[in-house]
Amino acid sequence: MCGIVGYIGKSNAVPVLIDGLKKLEYRGYDSAGVCIFDGCKLTVTKCKGRLSNLEDKIKDDPISGNLGIGHTRWATHGQPSDVNSHPHTNKDMTIGVVHNGIIENYLKIKEWLMSLGYEFETETDTEVVPHLIDYFYDGDLVQAVMKAVDKLEGSYALGIICKNEPDKIVAVRKDSPLIVGLGKGENFIASDIPAILSYTRDVYLLDNREIAILTKDDIKIITQEGLPVNKEIFHVTWDAQSAEKGGYEHFMIKEIHEQPKAIKDTMTSRIMADCDDIKLDNITLTKEQLKNIDKIYIVACGTAYHAGMVGKYVIEKLARIPVEVDIASEFRYRDPILNEKTLMIVVSQSGETADTLAALKQAKESGSRVIAITNVVGSSVAREADDVLYTWAGPEIAVASTKAYVTQLIAMYIIALYLARLNETITIEEYREIRDEMLTLPEKAQIVLNQKEELQKFAASNYMHKDIYYIGRGLDFAVALEGSLKLKEISYIHSDAYAAGELKHGSIALIEKGIPVIALATQSQVYDKMVSNIKEVVSRGAKVIGFAYEGNCEIEKTVNQTVYIPKTLDILAPVLLVIPLQLLAYYTAVEKGCDVDKPRNLAKSVTVE
Ligand code: M6R
């Protein structure tokens, strides 16, 4: 989703902003722009399309200056166009603003400002902000910003500069992420760490309703009421290279290959061979508290929701606590039953997904306890939850989530085992069996990665299809949903996943001669039933690629092509099974020539509703 970068210092701001915006490209955008103070005036250069268009525009009409703000926009209010691109300014071009989020009451503010004679050029919600600051401005930018944000409803991360006060950037956030980077003789703002990681590793993570005032030598943070805030510096431990492609053609394929390490890192120091304890430093839920919990909600969006579906199966199976899985955007509006007996587990790679964050807040307001599974240290979700279980996947740049998903699965197993041990619903022998098998997953994931040929073959002969279906039962169905999402989001092929036993209740009508069906068959309890379901689609002309455990040659009799994964415990199969599905989606998108890392219409971090 939209990206923000701001710079104040001794260097030319333009290359710093462009470089930072490039690092945020993965978030998804449709236009870009910068606003630069050149020593006497603010100049805005912005346009629709890729950053390269903006670079060409700046080449044709060069600008430079030591103060600037930049933005990549993902359109919400008003179509992607030059005029709707950020930054936006007031009429006399003395105030420049970049914004992430949605100003929900912008129409009311706009009408009011128009009644005072203000004129608007764009269809955006953001344009009210520079005009509102202009309205309140009487020589003190910080005061004007404080008064303006007081009128705003919705979510915002704002970067603001003013021609009359060119010694500062003012930044403020509410429900949309924003960080401040500490440099030497220069300082930065950004919506995400990679944007400024080439310049500094020391950052402040702004909290809701905090205002940062940056000069080149100083950073002051205050509340929206003007009270000083003492913030700890957050030191980023991963380096800029982890956010680079490292020789791979795309981030997505690099991240797929990083999965064995990500799985291992997420387990490290939590579950260990020959140790019967699960060590969860950031989870403080006690046996007594757990006794009081009668229901768990897992709430998330997209891929994280699919990880939640696996979580439901394994928590119910191991810990014997009823679990409901909810899509966050549905959960928040369906009047869910939440109280102090409810435990909510929110799952979010970015930790900034607006709907997930809203569900979390709702749970907390109702007295429920919240555990967050997230990949981003210090993210909003991590800060708002009672307990956090970090996935150690490292930065995930490709819009299509891969390594975050498998580490979310690992986190789910860890939580399920932890709850099961507290609840005494598994024996120590059962725990040891699962633990020992989990510790083999990194190695087995590597074996899966080494067998790509069958998937490349499938992609090469099926990329031209308009529809591809996925079927599975039990945990295989949960993985089928994720495989199908992966394929549709990066290859734009229409795809759906079905619980195989449900096919004959309607969806089998879609099966016709030659249609590719991806059939997942790892779950032993329903294996025979799954084979029958495969036969049902084969007999209606489907071309089936079956996924099963090594050694199960039986399946070859029923399907057209087979992909094997190493044998593991059925409950752990999703970790290995999803990898060939990610590869299959990847190779199919590459065959089609799609923009794999930045699929159309999608954003990496969905910070608006
Ligand atoms: O950052 P989050 O995990 O909260 O994001 C949730 C979804 O937006 C995300 O998983 C999305 O579905 C991905 N594009 C899937 O690949």
Side-chain angles (χ1 to χ4, degrees):
M1 212 133 262
C2 309
I4 287 178
V5 189
Y7 174 83
I8 183 160
K10 287 173 283 201
S11 308
N12 181 6
V14 178
V16 180
L17 299 184
I18 299 288
D19 177 53
L21 292 176
K22 280 185 181 161
K23 302 275 166 42
L24 297 180
E25 275 192 294
Y26 73 92
R27 294 165 68 96
Y29 71 104
D30 44 51
S31 53
V34 293
C35 176
I36 303 292
F37 178 70
D38 64 6
C40 60
K41 62 176 190 320
L42 295 184
T43 303
V44 172
T45 309
K46 57 185 190 176
C47 57
K48 186 180 158 186
R50 292 283 167 200
L51 272 168
S52 52
N53 300 0
L54 178 68
E55 286 182 284
D56 289 346
K57 221 169 163 181
I58 294 174
K59 240 181 244 153
D60 292 346
D61 204 352
I63 37 167
S64 68
N66 308 128
L67 168 69
I69 46 177
H71 192 262
T72 43
R73 173 174 187 254
W74 188 85
T76 57
H77 293 60
Q79 57 179 354
S81 67
D82 289 0
V83 70
N84 286 338
S85 313
H86 297 212
H88 294 292
T89 64
N90 58 338
K91 192 174 177 208
D92 56 11
M93 297 271 297
T94 53
I95 295 162
V97 171
V98 285
H99 166 226
N100 288 359
I102 292 179
I103 309 296
E104 284 167 5
N105 59 339
Y106 82 101
L107 277 176
K108 216 166 106 195
I109 298 175
K110 191 169 175 174
E111 277 164 22
W112 174 65
L113 286 167
M114 283 168 78
S115 74
L116 298 173
Y118 281 87
E119 285 166 20
F120 284 77
E121 286 184 350
T122 79
E123 303 157 277
T124 67
D125 52 333
T126 304
E127 200 188 356
V128 297
V129 181
H131 293 307
L132 203 54
I133 298 173
D134 175 282
Y135 173 79
F136 288 116
Y137 189 74
D138 62 1
D140 186 335
L141 181 64
V142 176
Q143 286 296 324
V145 170
M146 280 162 78
K147 288 179 187 159
V149 293
D150 203 40
K151 299 266 174 261
L152 303 180
E153 285 166 20
S155 57
Y156 50 82
L158 295 165
I160 303 144
I161 57 175
C162 176
K163 181 199 147 190
N164 302 334
E165 300 180 47
D167 62 334
K168 59 174 76 84
I169 299 181
V170 178
V172 55
R173 71 156 279 198
K174 182 185 159 256
D175 294 337
S176 211
L178 197 62
I179 59 156
V180 177
L182 290 77
K184 287 202 174 68
E186 57 184 6
N187 287 309
F188 311 81
I189 59 166
S191 44
D192 205 353
I193 291 169
I196 55 171
L197 207 51
S198 327
Y199 307 96
T200 179
R201 281 158 173 276
D202 289 333
V203 300
Y204 290 130
L205 306 170
L206 283 190
D207 277 308
N208 268 349
R209 298 178 181 281
E210 285 179 348
I211 301 182
I213 304 141
L214 293 77
T215 64
K216 70 180 172 48
D217 298 309
D218 186 41
I219 296 166
K220 202 192 298 166
I221 297 175
I222 57 172
T223 63
Q224 280 188 20
E225 292 72 40
L227 301 171
V229 178
N230 236 340
K231 274 204 105 64
E232 267 181 41
I233 295 177
F234 176 79
H235 186 72
V236 182
T237 47
W238 46 275
D239 56 25
Q241 262 131 39
S242 2
E244 306 285 345
K245 278 190 213 149
Y248 286 93
E249 200 182 334
H250 298 102
F251 279 111
M252 183 178 174
I253 191 72
K254 175 185 174 235
E255 288 161 6
I256 289 173
H257 280 89
E258 284 169 347
Q259 292 182 113
K261 180 173 183 308
I263 295 169
K264 187 161 180 264
D265 290 349
T266 303
M267 290 191 294
T268 297
S269 81
R270 290 167 173 162
I271 53 168
M272 289 158 282
D274 305 323
C275 171
D276 291 335
D277 290 331
I278 304 165
K279 298 216 181 338
L280 297 180
D281 292 346
N282 296 319
I283 294 195
T284 51
L285 186 73
T286 63
K287 195 170 177 167
E288 283 59 47
Q289 287 165 333
L290 183 63
K291 267 200 192 119
N292 200 32
I293 282 168
D294 59 10
K295 185 197 233 172
I296 297 177
Y297 282 113
I298 303 179
V299 184
C301 303
T303 285
Y305 167 76
H306 295 153
M309 286 189 66
V310 173
K312 173 185 165 70
Y313 278 88
V314 294
I315 293 173
E316 287 190 340
K317 187 173 178 62
L318 300 178
R320 309 306 293 161
I321 305 169
V323 182
E324 275 190 47
V325 199
D326 268 85
I327 294 170
S329 54
E330 292 293 320
F331 182 83
R332 58 188 293 196
Y333 296 112
R334 75 165 172 82
D335 201 8
I337 302 163
L338 284 164
N339 52 44
E340 56 295 334
K341 290 186 162 209
T342 320
L343 174 69
M344 179 183 277
I345 302 176
V346 291
V347 192
S348 174
Q349 185 284 129
S350 62
E352 301 294 348
T353 300
D355 287 315
T356 308
L357 198 52
L360 183 166
K361 287 180 181 164
Q362 201 176 342
K364 291 211 64 188
E365 277 158 21
S366 312
S368 310
R369 196 182 172 91
V370 180
I371 300 180
I373 297 176
T374 182
N375 196 37
V376 179
V377 176
S379 57
S380 302
V381 155
R383 283 184 279 167
E384 299 268 348
D386 297 296
D387 300 311
V388 187
L389 188 68
Y390 284 111
T391 50
W392 297 118
E396 191 181 67
I397 306 295
V399 164
S401 188
T402 54
K403 61 177 180 170
Y405 173 77
V406 295
T407 56
Q408 286 161 357
L409 297 184
I410 297 295
M412 284 297 175
Y413 295 126
I414 292 174
I415 289 178
L417 288 169
Y418 180 78
L419 298 177
R421 294 296 308 283
L422 278 188
N423 233 5
E424 294 170 7
T425 43
I426 53 170
T427 63
I428 193 69
E429 288 72 27
E430 285 166 327
Y431 170 69
R432 286 178 189 152
E433 187 195 8
I434 299 170
R435 172 201 67 195
D436 292 347
E437 185 57 26
M438 278 178 77
L439 293 170
T440 68
L441 289 175
E443 201 183 315
K444 290 182 177 170
Q446 190 56 54
I447 296 172
V448 181
L449 285 168
N450 295 343
Q451 318 162 342
K452 302 179 194 113
E453 294 72 27
E454 283 298 315
L455 304 161
Q456 283 167 320
K457 221 163 83 187
F458 177 89
S461 49
N462 288 290
Y463 72 93
M464 74 301 279
H465 278 277
K466 284 209 158 34
D467 312 280
I468 297 183
Y469 298 114
Y470 291 67
I471 58 173
R473 301 180 75 122
L475 281 169
D476 285 340
F477 170 53
V479 181
L481 285 166
E482 175 57 12
S484 167
L485 175 67
K486 228 53 337 151
L487 183 77
K488 74 183 115 187
E489 69 178 336
I490 60 168
S491 75
Y492 316 142
I493 294 175
H494 167 255
S495 169
D496 260 326
Y498 302 115
E502 185 67 11
L503 278 172
K504 52 176 97 54
H505 298 286
S507 327
I508 203 162
L510 295 167
I511 303 298
E512 54 189 15
K513 196 168 182 309
I515 200 147
V517 171
I518 287 152
L520 311 183
T522 67
Q523 300 296 301
S524 43
Q525 198 196 354
V526 284
Y527 179 76
D528 291 342
K529 309 223 174 282
M530 185 62 203
V531 171
S532 304
N533 297 139
I534 295 175
K535 286 182 179 157
E536 285 161 11
V537 293
V538 168
S539 61
R540 282 158 182 88
K543 223 169 37 173
V544 179
I545 173 170
F547 289 70
Y549 290 132
E550 248 157 30
N552 175 4
C553 303
E554 188 65 22
I555 195 164
E556 288 177 20
K557 293 185 197 145
T558 322
V559 302
N560 302 76
Q561 196 184 335
T562 318
V563 173
Y564 291 110
I565 61 163
K567 180 83 183 93
T568 186
L569 294 175
D570 282 357
I571 57 161
L572 302 179
V575 176
L576 302 179
L577 188 56
V578 77
I579 298 173
L581 302 187
Q582 296 165 343
L583 288 167
L584 189 144
Y586 174 78
Y587 291 125
T588 307
V590 170
E591 284 285 349
K592 282 192 74 176
C594 298
D595 189 350
V596 175
D597 285 336
K598 297 187 285 281
R600 68 185 180 205
N601 306 338
L602 295 181
K604 180 67 184 165
S605 178
V606 184
T607 50
V608 295
E609 229 191 300

